Amino acid sequence: MEIFASGYRRIYLSGLLLLLASAFSLAKAELHHHEFIIQATPVKRLCNTQNVITVNGMFPGPTLEINNGDTLEVTVTNKAQYNVTIHWHGVRQMRTAWADGPEFVTQCPIRPGGTYTYRFTIQGQEGTLWWHAHSTWLRATVYGALIIHPKAGSSYPFTKPKRENPIILGEWWNANPIDVLRQATRTGAAPNVSDAYTINSQPGDLYSCSKQDTVVVPIDSGETNLLRVINAGMNQPLFFTVANHRLTVVGADASYVKPFTTTVLMLGPGQTTDVLIAGHQPPARYYMAARAYQSAQNAPFGNTTTTAILEYKSAPCPAKNATTPVMPPLPAYNDTATVTAFSNSFRSPRKVPVPIDIDENLYFTVGLGLNRCPPTFSSSQCQGPNGTRFTASINNVSFVLPQTFSILQAHHQGVPGIFTTDFPASPPVKFDYTGNVSRSLWQPATGTKAYKLKYGSTVQLVLQDTSIVTPENHPIHLHGYDFYIVAEGFGNFNPQKDTAKFNLVDPPLRNTAAVPVNGWAVIRFVADNPGVWLMHCHLDVHISWGLAMVFVVENGVGELQSLESPPEDLPLC
């Protein structure tokens, strides 16, 4: 009896200590409230001033900084002339799909004059994410960094940097991006390419009327600083480098990685990369530079270079004012070998719990297509190749957003007719995906189709590029989840041979996978977050054409495995 009592006391004390530790942890967590005013703001770039949609009149928008475990509450008021939503790119949104943001997927848009408060808690994520509009092409100017520091009392798994700087890569049009999209939608052709690439919204020294506003990033001899690099560009994967400096990669998509050193990064739109940079060069000025990685053959793209300046504080004043910064070499636009070497360098810092026993084996082909010109359309509406209209699809289904209801609301309320759950688990027709594809396979079907997943099921998904129209590197983003990229390769995925390449020990954890041009990537995750989750190509022209689908993850058992109730201020359609 005494032994039992003694053991009970030990268990009781142990439980009490855990409760106290949990309470202490909760006491440390904070609620951060922000106000976002969506509004038109005059902005001058490339010698011209135009009204663009911004948050709080800032371009880029405000950087939000929180700790792992904190809660964000952001009240968005729409004073612009367009519908808008905000997506918190890469945030897991555990049970809070109502705060995820994609228009007509998890919410109806915030109408002009409307307000909606996004509320969610960061759970187990540290590093760099970002936020952006998820309504038509508003994200061309509506975006900003979301920085997640370690919990209070915790530290980075590397020496604390002296300074931290967000480096947000973007694209700029000398036109209203909404009009650029509308014109492409009218004509069926590809949209006009952007007029400049930007770093923290500035084009940099090499563009007209831009030199005086070039971004300057400070460093000093002996310092080690952290650059939080984000590709917020609309349609272009980008190389990034710094003259005469090596970059030590320590994180990506708000997950730490096993550190490795490189001279060049490649980020697809949506991806983030955290790098350490050491001030070990003679005090001077050095260009940071970014330009296109163009994997699609014969597709037009912007072949210009955006720059910022890494400036040593101890550099002599004459050098700061008069000396041209050192320019770095950049890879060729089509340097897929450099991209492959960079991508293959990513590893998790240690052994990770990769799902082994797979419940759902999925195979998704991704790529472009061409629709025949409808008989009711004029030739001006069919300006794609040979009188067609561009389209895109996953497994030959070109995704169509609903217009009267969000998919999440329809799922939660059991409203029929908004979407179906018959999205194919594999391509309806098997063909040589990266070979010479028959023209009969170039036109996809359309639909608002979802794939259902049971709560807790383990998923393996092969993402296969296709050579329809042109093969291309596709940055595929999955909302509400991180996933392990267990393998990548070229050609058609062959399960008999390619499973031998799987890294089931320390693959990287990402939220956006750059599917290799004319190749494939295999990802794995556990469906542990109930709700409706969009998966799409983060080249916005491709999502506009239908390169998207949704997963519907069912509730599990009990409150902690179920979607929260919708907030009272959820926008109505």
Side-chain angles (χ1 to χ4, degrees):
M1 191 66 160
E2 181 58 34
I3 293 173
F4 173 81
S6 174
Y8 177 82
R9 279 196 298 272
R10 281 197 296 270
I11 294 168
Y12 173 79
L13 286 171
S14 173
L16 185 61
L17 287 171
L18 283 172
L19 284 172
L20 287 171
S22 175
F24 183 76
S25 173
L26 288 172
K28 291 283 188 181
E30 295 184 16
L31 170 65
H32 302 258
H33 182 81
H34 297 273
E35 299 279 345
F36 276 15
I37 308 298
I38 310 295
Q39 62 189 41
T41 303
V43 171
K44 184 177 183 180
R45 297 291 185 274
L46 306 183
C47 315
N48 301 305
T49 300
Q50 64 189 64
N51 275 337
V52 303
I53 306 303
T54 65
V55 169
N56 300 346
M58 300 168 62
F59 179 46
T63 294
L64 306 184
E65 296 195 52
I66 58 175
N67 289 347
N68 180 8
D70 288 353
T71 296
L72 258 177
E73 189 178 83
V74 183
T75 298
V76 178
T77 301
N78 186 5
K79 294 187 177 180
Q81 68 269 42
Y82 306 108
N83 295 337
V84 73
T85 64
I86 301 293
H87 170 53
W88 315 92
H89 185 109
V91 173
R92 284 295 316 269
Q93 297 289 2
M94 299 301 294
R95 302 176 52 237
T96 54
W98 307 106
D100 191 45
E103 182 180 58
F104 292 113
V105 176
T106 59
Q107 67 168 97
C108 295
I110 307 168
R111 306 290 183 183
T115 297
Y116 178 48
T117 298
Y118 295 89
R119 185 185 176 101
F120 52 90
T121 299
I122 301 297
Q123 300 182 45
Q125 295 180 283
E126 295 179 10
T128 305
L129 295 176
W130 61 301
W131 57 264
H132 60 80
H134 213 299
S135 187
T136 66
W137 273 23
L138 285 181
R139 83 168 180 89
T141 54
V142 179
Y143 59 79
L146 174 56
I147 296 171
I148 308 169
H149 298 288
K151 289 184 177 181
S154 301
S155 59
Y156 298 121
F158 45 82
T159 303
K160 185 177 180 180
K162 177 75 173 178
R163 311 168 201 274
E164 300 184 12
N165 298 96
I167 304 293
I168 311 179
L169 312 178
E171 291 184 79
W172 172 264
W173 276 264
N174 281 331
N176 181 345
I178 305 299
D179 292 340
V180 174
L181 175 61
R182 285 174 176 168
Q183 180 187 14
T185 303
R186 279 195 305 270
T187 65
N192 294 335
V193 298
S194 57
D195 294 288
Y197 302 115
T198 58
I199 295 177
N200 293 353
S201 90
Q202 294 293 342
D205 282 5
L206 307 184
Y207 294 90
S208 300
C209 306
S210 303
K211 189 178 182 71
Q212 66 181 20
D213 296 313
T214 298
V215 171
V216 176
V217 178
I219 196 169
D220 213 350
S221 298
E223 289 182 357
T224 296
N225 296 344
L226 181 65
L227 304 180
R228 299 179 176 273
V229 188
I230 301 166
N231 186 352
M234 292 291 287
N235 296 314
Q236 193 62 60
L238 293 166
F239 290 114
F240 174 82
T241 190
V242 183
N244 293 10
H245 288 73
R246 295 182 69 80
L247 305 171
T248 300
V249 178
V250 292
D253 293 358
S255 292
Y256 295 118
V257 302
K258 193 172 293 180
F260 67 93
T261 302
T262 181
T263 56
V264 64
L265 315 178
M266 195 291 286
L267 297 91
Q271 292 187 313
T272 74
T273 307
D274 292 343
V275 297
L276 297 174
I277 183 169
H280 56 64
Q281 290 296 306
R285 307 170 88 215
Y286 300 86
Y287 273 132
M288 299 173 161
R291 76 175 185 187
Y293 165 51
Q294 180 63 3
S295 61
Q297 294 182 0
N298 303 318
F301 70 99
N303 61 358
T304 57
T305 301
T306 180
T307 55
I309 298 171
L310 184 72
E311 182 176 272
Y312 280 72
K313 295 196 303 174
S314 54
C317 285
K320 290 181 182 179
N321 297 328
T323 307
T324 300
V326 179
M327 189 70 188
L330 279 153
Y333 297 113
N334 62 351
D335 190 349
T336 295
T338 290
V339 173
T340 303
F342 177 68
S343 182
N344 288 342
S345 298
F346 284 86
R347 296 282 186 277
S348 286
R350 60 192 66 82
K351 182 176 170 59
V352 289
V354 184
I356 301 299
D357 297 320
I358 301 300
D359 300 314
E360 297 275 0
N361 255 305
L362 307 178
Y363 195 117
F364 288 2
T365 55
V366 299
L368 304 186
L370 296 175
N371 280 333
R372 290 182 290 274
C373 192
T376 56
F377 279 34
S378 68
S379 58
S380 66
Q381 295 171 286
C382 299
Q383 296 183 33
N386 300 314
T388 60
R389 292 177 60 85
F390 274 110
T391 185
S393 66
I394 301 178
N395 275 358
N396 203 48
V397 178
S398 188
F399 187 72
V400 179
L401 284 171
Q403 295 297 309
T404 60
F405 224 74
S406 81
I407 298 174
L408 182 61
Q409 287 172 287
H411 164 64
H412 183 68
Q413 298 174 20
V415 177
I418 305 301
F419 70 99
T420 60
T421 56
D422 56 345
F423 188 87
S426 58
V429 178
K430 307 295 188 290
F431 58 96
D432 182 3
Y433 307 117
T434 54
N436 188 13
V437 183
S438 167
R439 290 293 180 108
S440 65
L441 299 173
W442 284 34
Q443 178 157 324
T446 57
T448 309
K449 296 177 182 290
Y451 190 89
K452 268 195 170 183
L453 294 171
K454 290 188 180 301
Y455 183 92
S457 60
T458 53
V459 182
Q460 175 175 293
L461 171 55
V462 178
L463 295 165
Q464 174 71 62
D465 187 28
T466 68
S467 58
I468 296 175
V469 182
T470 179
E472 190 166 0
N473 184 292
H474 293 277
I476 302 296
H477 173 48
L478 175 58
H479 289 228
Y481 283 88
D482 289 326
F483 48 75
Y484 293 109
I485 304 178
V486 299
E488 295 176 354
F490 292 99
N492 300 328
F493 176 75
N494 183 335
Q496 278 71 46
K497 295 179 180 178
D498 291 329
T499 50
K501 303 173 186 175
F502 284 9
N503 175 4
L504 302 179
V505 177
D506 59 354
L509 190 64
R510 303 297 298 261
N511 63 55
T512 305
V515 178
V517 56
N518 247 336
W520 50 267
V522 180
I523 67 173
R524 289 187 179 185
F525 62 95
V526 178
D528 60 357
N529 193 8
V532 170
W533 304 107
L534 183 66
M535 190 180 78
H536 65 95
C537 182
H538 223 278
L539 305 178
D540 268 40
V541 61
H542 291 178
I543 189 175
S544 303
W545 290 339
L547 210 166
M549 57 81 64
V550 294
F551 286 109
V552 173
V553 180
E554 298 175 337
N555 285 336
V557 178
E559 181 183 358
L560 295 181
Q561 295 183 1
S562 300
L563 177 69
E564 290 184 0
S565 298
E568 292 183 359
D569 63 339
L570 188 72
L572 300 175
C573 284

